[in-house]
Amino acid sequence: MITITEVEDSDEALMIRVQGNDPRAFELLYDRHRNAVFWLAQRILDDRGLAADATQEAFINLWRNRDLYLPGRGRVKWWLLRIVRNRAIDLQRRNRDLVLRGEATFELIVAPDSTEDEVLAEAERHELAVLLEALPSEQREVIELAYFAGLSHAEITQRLGLPLGTIKGRIRLALEKLRLALPDDRTQPVG
């Protein structure tokens, strides 16, 4: 049973509880962010099975490394999205290596948990797409290359022929604009 206090708790307050080994707070964070985490993994990997693996690994990583989160360094949601991005890129590279070696791979089809989850996930995808479209084209391009294509800053520099500082600056500006445009995590429903 979810209490009113748990619904109102900010992600940061829940993360402090997670750092104190509170599995219920971890469950609440999972419920709040699983759709966004899965969506990002799916966008990077273009494979539902691998995206499910990346999502699971990201949440396991959050639990195992919960003491590494520092509240003053950023929001929990962005920290978690960074974790899943790294996991998805690792899986993408690992999968690419398997294909290059000629090892067979298969796709795991993951059924959605519920229609409500799918609707919420679609709403989040639409919201992010609208926010990305509102970015200046040069900022949107580096965000898409970094977060959806999984390229490193150095790879983006090579691809676009721009200095590393310019790439980092555009990413920083775009992320700041997205952070300011997104609603506060406390307004998200808990499933």
Side-chain angles (χ1 to χ4, degrees):
M1 175 181 213
I2 297 173
T3 65
I4 298 296
T5 305
E6 289 173 331
V7 171
E8 294 175 354
D9 277 346
S10 70
D11 285 349
E12 288 68 29
L14 288 173
M15 194 62 201
I16 290 169
R17 288 174 47 198
V18 167
Q19 289 175 328
N21 296 323
D22 182 345
R24 179 66 186 141
F26 176 78
E27 182 182 340
L28 289 167
L29 282 174
Y30 173 81
D31 288 343
R32 279 186 190 174
H33 300 297
R34 69 178 177 216
N35 290 332
V37 168
F38 180 80
W39 179 85
L40 180 58
Q42 170 70 23
R43 179 77 190 250
I44 293 169
L45 294 163
D46 195 29
D47 180 297
R48 290 182 65 82
L50 290 175
D53 290 346
T55 299
Q56 179 179 354
E57 288 180 23
F59 280 102
I60 290 170
N61 187 285
L62 179 140
W63 180 258
R64 287 183 179 157
N65 297 301
R66 59 191 173 271
D67 293 332
L68 298 178
Y69 174 74
L70 301 172
R73 303 239 5 224
R75 293 169 53 185
V76 173
K77 182 175 184 175
W78 293 112
W79 187 59
L80 185 55
L81 290 174
R82 191 173 315 115
I83 291 171
V84 78
R85 175 189 174 272
N86 292 340
R87 291 291 170 251
I89 290 169
D90 289 345
L91 282 172
Q92 186 178 54
R93 289 178 181 151
R94 202 174 321 142
N95 196 39
R96 184 174 49 224
D97 291 345
L98 288 174
V99 170
L100 291 174
R101 288 194 312 250
E103 296 180 22
T105 60
F106 63 93
E107 180 177 348
L108 174 65
I109 299 173
V110 179
D113 289 335
S114 72
T115 303
E116 180 183 355
D117 287 344
E118 284 297 304
V119 169
L120 290 172
E122 181 59 34
E124 285 181 351
R125 283 191 291 273
H126 177 72
E127 178 185 19
L128 185 56
V130 168
L131 292 173
L132 285 171
E133 277 301 311
L135 289 174
S137 61
E138 64 274 357
Q139 291 175 9
R140 183 176 55 252
E141 180 179 34
V142 294
I143 289 294
E144 288 174 347
L145 291 172
Y147 288 90
F148 302 137
L151 299 181
S152 69
H153 291 165
E155 291 169 327
I156 296 170
T157 297
Q158 285 180 330
R159 181 175 284 192
L160 299 180
L162 295 170
L164 182 60
T166 301
I167 298 300
K168 288 182 176 183
R170 286 181 182 177
I171 290 173
R172 186 178 58 255
L173 287 172
L175 290 176
E176 181 64 17
K177 287 178 183 176
L178 290 173
R179 184 185 70 75
L180 293 172
L182 286 170
D184 191 330
D185 289 334
R186 286 170 285 190
T187 62
Q188 293 186 354
V190 175

